[in-house]
mmCIF file of all heavy atoms in Angstrom:
data_model
loop_
_atom_site.group_PDB
_atom_site.id
_atom_site.type_symbol
_atom_site.label_atom_id
_atom_site.label_comp_id
_atom_site.label_asym_id
_atom_site.label_seq_id
_atom_site.Cartn_x
_atom_site.Cartn_y
_atom_site.Cartn_z
ATOM 1 N N SER A 1 0.828 -1.201 0.000
ATOM 2 C CA SER A 1 0.000 0.000 0.000
ATOM 3 C C SER A 1 0.866 1.257 0.000
ATOM 4 O O SER A 1 2.040 1.216 0.378
ATOM 5 C CB SER A 1 -0.903 0.003 1.237
ATOM 6 O OG SER A 1 -0.114 0.192 2.400
ATOM 7 N N GLU A 2 0.256 2.370 -0.421
ATOM 8 C CA GLU A 2 0.995 3.632 -0.417
ATOM 9 C C GLU A 2 1.444 3.990 0.998
ATOM 10 O O GLU A 2 2.570 4.477 1.197
ATOM 11 C CB GLU A 2 0.107 4.752 -0.970
ATOM 12 C CG GLU A 2 0.784 6.119 -0.940
ATOM 13 C CD GLU A 2 -0.155 7.227 -1.333
ATOM 14 O OE1 GLU A 2 -1.329 6.940 -1.664
ATOM 15 O OE2 GLU A 2 0.274 8.392 -1.314
ATOM 16 N N ARG A 3 0.601 3.751 1.969
ATOM 17 C CA ARG A 3 0.954 4.082 3.346
ATOM 18 C C ARG A 3 2.217 3.324 3.775
ATOM 19 O O ARG A 3 3.103 3.866 4.419
ATOM 20 C CB ARG A 3 -0.198 3.744 4.280
ATOM 21 C CG ARG A 3 0.111 4.043 5.735
ATOM 22 C CD ARG A 3 -1.115 3.862 6.600
ATOM 23 N NE ARG A 3 -0.831 4.185 8.001
ATOM 24 C CZ ARG A 3 -1.754 4.243 8.942
ATOM 25 N NH1 ARG A 3 -3.011 4.005 8.640
ATOM 26 N NH2 ARG A 3 -1.428 4.542 10.181
ATOM 27 N N THR A 4 2.290 2.059 3.384
ATOM 28 C CA THR A 4 3.434 1.244 3.773
ATOM 29 C C THR A 4 4.702 1.684 3.053
ATOM 30 O O THR A 4 5.762 1.852 3.665
ATOM 31 C CB THR A 4 3.157 -0.231 3.479
ATOM 32 O OG1 THR A 4 2.073 -0.670 4.306
ATOM 33 C CG2 THR A 4 4.378 -1.093 3.757
ATOM 34 N N LEU A 5 4.599 1.885 1.737
ATOM 35 C CA LEU A 5 5.806 2.170 0.961
ATOM 36 C C LEU A 5 6.189 3.634 0.967
ATOM 37 O O LEU A 5 7.201 4.005 0.377
ATOM 38 C CB LEU A 5 5.655 1.641 -0.459
ATOM 39 C CG LEU A 5 5.593 0.109 -0.543
ATOM 40 C CD1 LEU A 5 5.585 -0.343 -1.991
ATOM 41 C CD2 LEU A 5 6.729 -0.541 0.210
ATOM 42 N N SER A 6 5.406 4.467 1.642
ATOM 43 C CA SER A 6 5.835 5.839 1.887
ATOM 44 C C SER A 6 6.789 5.902 3.070
ATOM 45 O O SER A 6 7.442 6.923 3.291
ATOM 46 C CB SER A 6 4.628 6.742 2.176
ATOM 47 O OG SER A 6 3.803 6.851 1.047
ATOM 48 N N SER A 7 6.859 4.806 3.813
ATOM 49 C CA SER A 7 7.769 4.753 4.959
ATOM 50 C C SER A 7 9.197 4.494 4.465
ATOM 51 O O SER A 7 9.444 4.386 3.269
ATOM 52 C CB SER A 7 7.351 3.620 5.899
ATOM 53 O OG SER A 7 7.599 2.352 5.290
ATOM 54 N N THR A 8 10.128 4.375 5.395
ATOM 55 C CA THR A 8 11.489 3.975 5.025
ATOM 56 C C THR A 8 11.468 2.493 4.651
ATOM 57 O O THR A 8 10.990 1.662 5.429
ATOM 58 C CB THR A 8 12.465 4.225 6.171
ATOM 59 O OG1 THR A 8 12.585 5.641 6.372
ATOM 60 C CG2 THR A 8 13.836 3.627 5.885
ATOM 61 N N VAL A 9 11.953 2.199 3.459
ATOM 62 C CA VAL A 9 11.929 0.854 2.901
ATOM 63 C C VAL A 9 13.351 0.382 2.644
ATOM 64 O O VAL A 9 14.200 1.156 2.190
ATOM 65 C CB VAL A 9 11.121 0.835 1.587
ATOM 66 C CG1 VAL A 9 11.163 -0.556 0.952
ATOM 67 C CG2 VAL A 9 9.681 1.257 1.844
ATOM 68 N N GLY A 10 13.596 -0.868 2.924
ATOM 69 C CA GLY A 10 14.920 -1.423 2.706
ATOM 70 C C GLY A 10 14.871 -2.747 1.971
ATOM 71 O O GLY A 10 13.817 -3.403 1.922
ATOM 72 N N TRP A 11 15.983 -3.102 1.383
ATOM 73 C CA TRP A 11 16.183 -4.431 0.818
ATOM 74 C C TRP A 11 17.329 -5.101 1.581
ATOM 75 O O TRP A 11 18.370 -4.471 1.814
ATOM 76 C CB TRP A 11 16.543 -4.359 -0.667
ATOM 77 C CG TRP A 11 15.397 -4.044 -1.576
ATOM 78 C CD1 TRP A 11 15.025 -2.822 -2.033
ATOM 79 C CD2 TRP A 11 14.475 -4.983 -2.143
ATOM 80 N NE1 TRP A 11 13.937 -2.946 -2.853
ATOM 81 C CE2 TRP A 11 13.580 -4.255 -2.942
ATOM 82 C CE3 TRP A 11 14.324 -6.370 -2.063
ATOM 83 C CZ2 TRP A 11 12.534 -4.858 -3.650
ATOM 84 C CZ3 TRP A 11 13.300 -6.972 -2.765
ATOM 85 C CH2 TRP A 11 12.410 -6.214 -3.549
ATOM 86 N N PHE A 12 17.091 -6.336 1.944
ATOM 87 C CA PHE A 12 18.108 -7.154 2.582
ATOM 88 C C PHE A 12 18.257 -8.437 1.774
ATOM 89 O O PHE A 12 17.406 -8.762 0.943
ATOM 90 C CB PHE A 12 17.691 -7.509 4.024
ATOM 91 C CG PHE A 12 17.797 -6.371 4.982
ATOM 92 C CD1 PHE A 12 16.890 -5.325 4.963
ATOM 93 C CD2 PHE A 12 18.811 -6.329 5.929
ATOM 94 C CE1 PHE A 12 16.987 -4.269 5.850
ATOM 95 C CE2 PHE A 12 18.920 -5.274 6.827
ATOM 96 C CZ PHE A 12 17.997 -4.243 6.779
ATOM 97 N N ARG A 13 19.314 -9.178 2.042
ATOM 98 C CA ARG A 13 19.463 -10.471 1.381
ATOM 99 C C ARG A 13 20.087 -11.468 2.345
ATOM 100 O O ARG A 13 20.775 -11.090 3.294
ATOM 101 C CB ARG A 13 20.321 -10.353 0.124
ATOM 102 C CG ARG A 13 21.781 -9.960 0.368
ATOM 103 C CD ARG A 13 22.482 -9.691 -0.964
ATOM 104 N NE ARG A 13 23.895 -9.355 -0.770
ATOM 105 C CZ ARG A 13 24.686 -8.950 -1.757
ATOM 106 N NH1 ARG A 13 24.221 -8.845 -3.009
ATOM 107 N NH2 ARG A 13 25.946 -8.667 -1.498
ATOM 108 N N GLN A 14 19.812 -12.732 2.067
ATOM 109 C CA GLN A 14 20.343 -13.791 2.911
ATOM 110 C C GLN A 14 20.742 -14.976 2.047
ATOM 111 O O GLN A 14 19.907 -15.557 1.358
ATOM 112 C CB GLN A 14 19.313 -14.218 3.956
ATOM 113 C CG GLN A 14 19.849 -15.167 4.997
ATOM 114 C CD GLN A 14 18.918 -15.293 6.192
ATOM 115 O OE1 GLN A 14 17.730 -14.944 6.131
ATOM 116 N NE2 GLN A 14 19.447 -15.775 7.304
ATOM 117 N N ALA A 15 22.016 -15.289 2.095
ATOM 118 C CA ALA A 15 22.543 -16.452 1.389
ATOM 119 C C ALA A 15 22.529 -17.654 2.332
ATOM 120 O O ALA A 15 22.519 -17.484 3.558
ATOM 121 C CB ALA A 15 23.959 -16.173 0.908
ATOM 122 N N PRO A 16 22.525 -18.868 1.788
ATOM 123 C CA PRO A 16 22.498 -20.056 2.646
ATOM 124 C C PRO A 16 23.645 -20.065 3.651
ATOM 125 O O PRO A 16 24.801 -19.819 3.297
ATOM 126 C CB PRO A 16 22.640 -21.199 1.641
ATOM 127 C CG PRO A 16 22.101 -20.667 0.371
ATOM 128 C CD PRO A 16 22.484 -19.219 0.357
ATOM 129 N N GLY A 17 23.315 -20.303 4.906
ATOM 130 C CA GLY A 17 24.328 -20.380 5.949
ATOM 131 C C GLY A 17 24.859 -19.044 6.433
ATOM 132 O O GLY A 17 25.773 -19.001 7.257
ATOM 133 N N LYS A 18 24.301 -17.962 5.921
ATOM 134 C CA LYS A 18 24.772 -16.623 6.308
ATOM 135 C C LYS A 18 23.653 -15.828 6.951
ATOM 136 O O LYS A 18 22.474 -16.137 6.793
ATOM 137 C CB LYS A 18 25.317 -15.883 5.093
ATOM 138 C CG LYS A 18 26.574 -16.514 4.494
ATOM 139 C CD LYS A 18 27.170 -15.624 3.442
ATOM 140 C CE LYS A 18 28.475 -16.196 2.912
ATOM 141 N NZ LYS A 18 29.092 -15.306 1.882
ATOM 142 N N GLU A 19 24.032 -14.767 7.661
ATOM 143 C CA GLU A 19 23.054 -13.892 8.274
ATOM 144 C C GLU A 19 22.439 -12.974 7.215
ATOM 145 O O GLU A 19 23.036 -12.707 6.178
ATOM 146 C CB GLU A 19 23.713 -13.059 9.378
ATOM 147 C CG GLU A 19 24.185 -13.880 10.564
ATOM 148 C CD GLU A 19 24.662 -12.992 11.707
ATOM 149 O OE1 GLU A 19 24.766 -11.774 11.518
ATOM 150 O OE2 GLU A 19 24.935 -13.543 12.789
ATOM 151 N N ARG A 20 21.257 -12.483 7.535
ATOM 152 C CA ARG A 20 20.603 -11.524 6.650
ATOM 153 C C ARG A 20 21.407 -10.225 6.669
ATOM 154 O O ARG A 20 21.756 -9.725 7.751
ATOM 155 C CB ARG A 20 19.172 -11.284 7.124
ATOM 156 C CG ARG A 20 18.311 -10.548 6.126
ATOM 157 C CD ARG A 20 16.839 -10.610 6.529
ATOM 158 N NE ARG A 20 16.323 -11.975 6.506
ATOM 159 C CZ ARG A 20 15.032 -12.277 6.610
ATOM 160 N NH1 ARG A 20 14.136 -11.314 6.733
ATOM 161 N NH2 ARG A 20 14.632 -13.528 6.606
ATOM 162 N N GLU A 21 21.692 -9.690 5.488
ATOM 163 C CA GLU A 21 22.524 -8.490 5.413
ATOM 164 C C GLU A 21 21.814 -7.377 4.646
ATOM 165 O O GLU A 21 21.032 -7.618 3.729
ATOM 166 C CB GLU A 21 23.873 -8.795 4.742
ATOM 167 C CG GLU A 21 23.791 -9.213 3.293
ATOM 168 C CD GLU A 21 25.173 -9.345 2.648
ATOM 169 O OE1 GLU A 21 26.193 -9.175 3.339
ATOM 170 O OE2 GLU A 21 25.216 -9.622 1.434
ATOM 171 N N PHE A 22 22.155 -6.170 5.022
ATOM 172 C CA PHE A 22 21.595 -4.971 4.398
ATOM 173 C C PHE A 22 22.103 -4.822 2.971
ATOM 174 O O PHE A 22 23.278 -5.077 2.690
ATOM 175 C CB PHE A 22 21.992 -3.751 5.223
ATOM 176 C CG PHE A 22 21.703 -2.440 4.561
ATOM 177 C CD1 PHE A 22 20.405 -1.962 4.474
ATOM 178 C CD2 PHE A 22 22.725 -1.678 4.017
ATOM 179 C CE1 PHE A 22 20.132 -0.756 3.863
ATOM 180 C CE2 PHE A 22 22.462 -0.460 3.411
ATOM 181 C CZ PHE A 22 21.173 -0.005 3.335
ATOM 182 N N VAL A 23 21.214 -4.393 2.086
ATOM 183 C CA VAL A 23 21.580 -4.128 0.697
ATOM 184 C C VAL A 23 21.371 -2.657 0.351
ATOM 185 O O VAL A 23 22.291 -1.988 -0.118
ATOM 186 C CB VAL A 23 20.752 -5.012 -0.263
ATOM 187 C CG1 VAL A 23 21.061 -4.649 -1.717
ATOM 188 C CG2 VAL A 23 21.022 -6.486 -0.007
ATOM 189 N N ALA A 24 20.166 -2.151 0.593
ATOM 190 C CA ALA A 24 19.855 -0.773 0.209
ATOM 191 C C ALA A 24 18.639 -0.298 0.985
ATOM 192 O O ALA A 24 17.832 -1.102 1.459
ATOM 193 C CB ALA A 24 19.581 -0.674 -1.293
ATOM 194 N N ALA A 25 18.505 1.030 1.105
ATOM 195 C CA ALA A 25 17.348 1.615 1.770
ATOM 196 C C ALA A 25 17.030 2.963 1.160
ATOM 197 O O ALA A 25 17.911 3.646 0.619
ATOM 198 C CB ALA A 25 17.593 1.761 3.265
ATOM 199 N N ILE A 26 15.750 3.343 1.259
ATOM 200 C CA ILE A 26 15.295 4.667 0.854
ATOM 201 C C ILE A 26 14.438 5.196 1.985
ATOM 202 O O ILE A 26 13.524 4.520 2.458
ATOM 203 C CB ILE A 26 14.542 4.613 -0.495
ATOM 204 C CG1 ILE A 26 14.128 6.009 -0.939
ATOM 205 C CG2 ILE A 26 13.360 3.660 -0.447
ATOM 206 C CD1 ILE A 26 13.675 6.074 -2.398
ATOM 207 N N THR A 27 14.742 6.413 2.458
ATOM 208 C CA THR A 27 14.092 6.919 3.654
ATOM 209 C C THR A 27 12.751 7.586 3.359
ATOM 210 O O THR A 27 12.503 8.075 2.253
ATOM 211 C CB THR A 27 14.987 7.925 4.387
ATOM 212 O OG1 THR A 27 15.207 9.067 3.530
ATOM 213 C CG2 THR A 27 16.321 7.317 4.760
ATOM 214 N N ARG A 28 11.905 7.609 4.381
ATOM 215 C CA ARG A 28 10.629 8.311 4.267
ATOM 216 C C ARG A 28 10.845 9.805 4.099
ATOM 217 O O ARG A 28 10.184 10.445 3.281
ATOM 218 C CB ARG A 28 9.782 8.042 5.519
ATOM 219 C CG ARG A 28 8.467 8.810 5.552
ATOM 220 C CD ARG A 28 7.645 8.479 6.787
ATOM 221 N NE ARG A 28 8.318 8.875 8.021
ATOM 222 C CZ ARG A 28 8.310 10.102 8.511
ATOM 223 N NH1 ARG A 28 7.679 11.071 7.872
ATOM 224 N NH2 ARG A 28 8.925 10.370 9.640
ATOM 225 N N VAL A 29 11.753 10.344 4.915
ATOM 226 C CA VAL A 29 12.006 11.780 4.887
ATOM 227 C C VAL A 29 13.094 12.073 3.859
ATOM 228 O O VAL A 29 14.242 11.621 3.996
ATOM 229 C CB VAL A 29 12.440 12.296 6.272
ATOM 230 C CG1 VAL A 29 12.678 13.802 6.213
ATOM 231 C CG2 VAL A 29 11.380 11.950 7.315
ATOM 232 N N GLY A 30 12.733 12.763 2.830
ATOM 233 C CA GLY A 30 13.704 13.190 1.834
ATOM 234 C C GLY A 30 14.077 12.163 0.792
ATOM 235 O O GLY A 30 14.827 12.449 -0.133
ATOM 236 N N SER A 31 13.569 10.934 0.948
ATOM 237 C CA SER A 31 13.892 9.841 0.013
ATOM 238 C C SER A 31 15.401 9.709 -0.198
ATOM 239 O O SER A 31 15.881 9.507 -1.321
ATOM 240 C CB SER A 31 13.188 10.061 -1.327
ATOM 241 O OG SER A 31 11.792 9.891 -1.189
ATOM 242 N N SER A 32 16.140 9.829 0.892
ATOM 243 C CA SER A 32 17.585 9.591 0.804
ATOM 244 C C SER A 32 17.841 8.106 0.615
ATOM 245 O O SER A 32 17.099 7.264 1.133
ATOM 246 C CB SER A 32 18.277 10.066 2.085
ATOM 247 O OG SER A 32 18.132 11.446 2.244
ATOM 248 N N THR A 33 18.885 7.788 -0.120
ATOM 249 C CA THR A 33 19.215 6.380 -0.363
ATOM 250 C C THR A 33 20.549 6.014 0.284
ATOM 251 O O THR A 33 21.424 6.868 0.464
ATOM 252 C CB THR A 33 19.266 6.073 -1.862
ATOM 253 O OG1 THR A 33 20.209 6.943 -2.492
ATOM 254 C CG2 THR A 33 17.895 6.273 -2.501
ATOM 255 N N ASP A 34 20.668 4.754 0.615
ATOM 256 C CA ASP A 34 21.894 4.259 1.221
ATOM 257 C C ASP A 34 22.123 2.846 0.693
ATOM 258 O O ASP A 34 21.166 2.119 0.438
ATOM 259 C CB ASP A 34 21.769 4.245 2.745
ATOM 260 C CG ASP A 34 23.103 4.110 3.446
ATOM 261 O OD1 ASP A 34 24.154 4.193 2.773
ATOM 262 O OD2 ASP A 34 23.105 3.903 4.677
ATOM 263 N N TYR A 35 23.390 2.479 0.544
ATOM 264 C CA TYR A 35 23.725 1.186 -0.044
ATOM 265 C C TYR A 35 24.848 0.512 0.728
ATOM 266 O O TYR A 35 25.737 1.176 1.284
ATOM 267 C CB TYR A 35 24.178 1.370 -1.503
ATOM 268 C CG TYR A 35 23.122 1.952 -2.401
ATOM 269 C CD1 TYR A 35 23.033 3.322 -2.597
ATOM 270 C CD2 TYR A 35 22.200 1.127 -3.041
ATOM 271 C CE1 TYR A 35 22.053 3.868 -3.415
ATOM 272 C CE2 TYR A 35 21.215 1.659 -3.856
ATOM 273 C CZ TYR A 35 21.151 3.029 -4.030
ATOM 274 O OH TYR A 35 20.177 3.566 -4.835
ATOM 275 N N ALA A 36 24.821 -0.801 0.720
ATOM 276 C CA ALA A 36 25.966 -1.549 1.220
ATOM 277 C C ALA A 36 27.144 -1.302 0.283
ATOM 278 O O ALA A 36 26.966 -1.139 -0.931
ATOM 279 C CB ALA A 36 25.634 -3.037 1.284
#
C-alpha cells in the first residue's frame, strides 16, 4: 500500500548459511538512499 511504501523501505538479502545483510534503503524523509 501507499501508506506502507511511503515509509522507510529497505532491501536485505540472505545467502544459505549466512546472516541476513543490508543491501539498500530509501528513507521516508527526503527519500535519501543508502547502499551496502
Side-chain angles (χ1 to χ4, degrees):
S1 69
E2 177 187 358
R3 179 173 182 173
T4 295
L5 293 186
S6 294
S7 69
T8 293
V9 177
W11 285 94
F12 286 74
R13 65 188 182 187
Q14 188 166 18
K18 295 189 176 181
E19 294 188 352
R20 193 168 296 191
E21 65 174 3
F22 169 74
V23 176
I26 183 167
T27 63
R28 176 178 63 82
V29 181
S31 291
S32 296
T33 57
D34 196 9
Y35 298 92

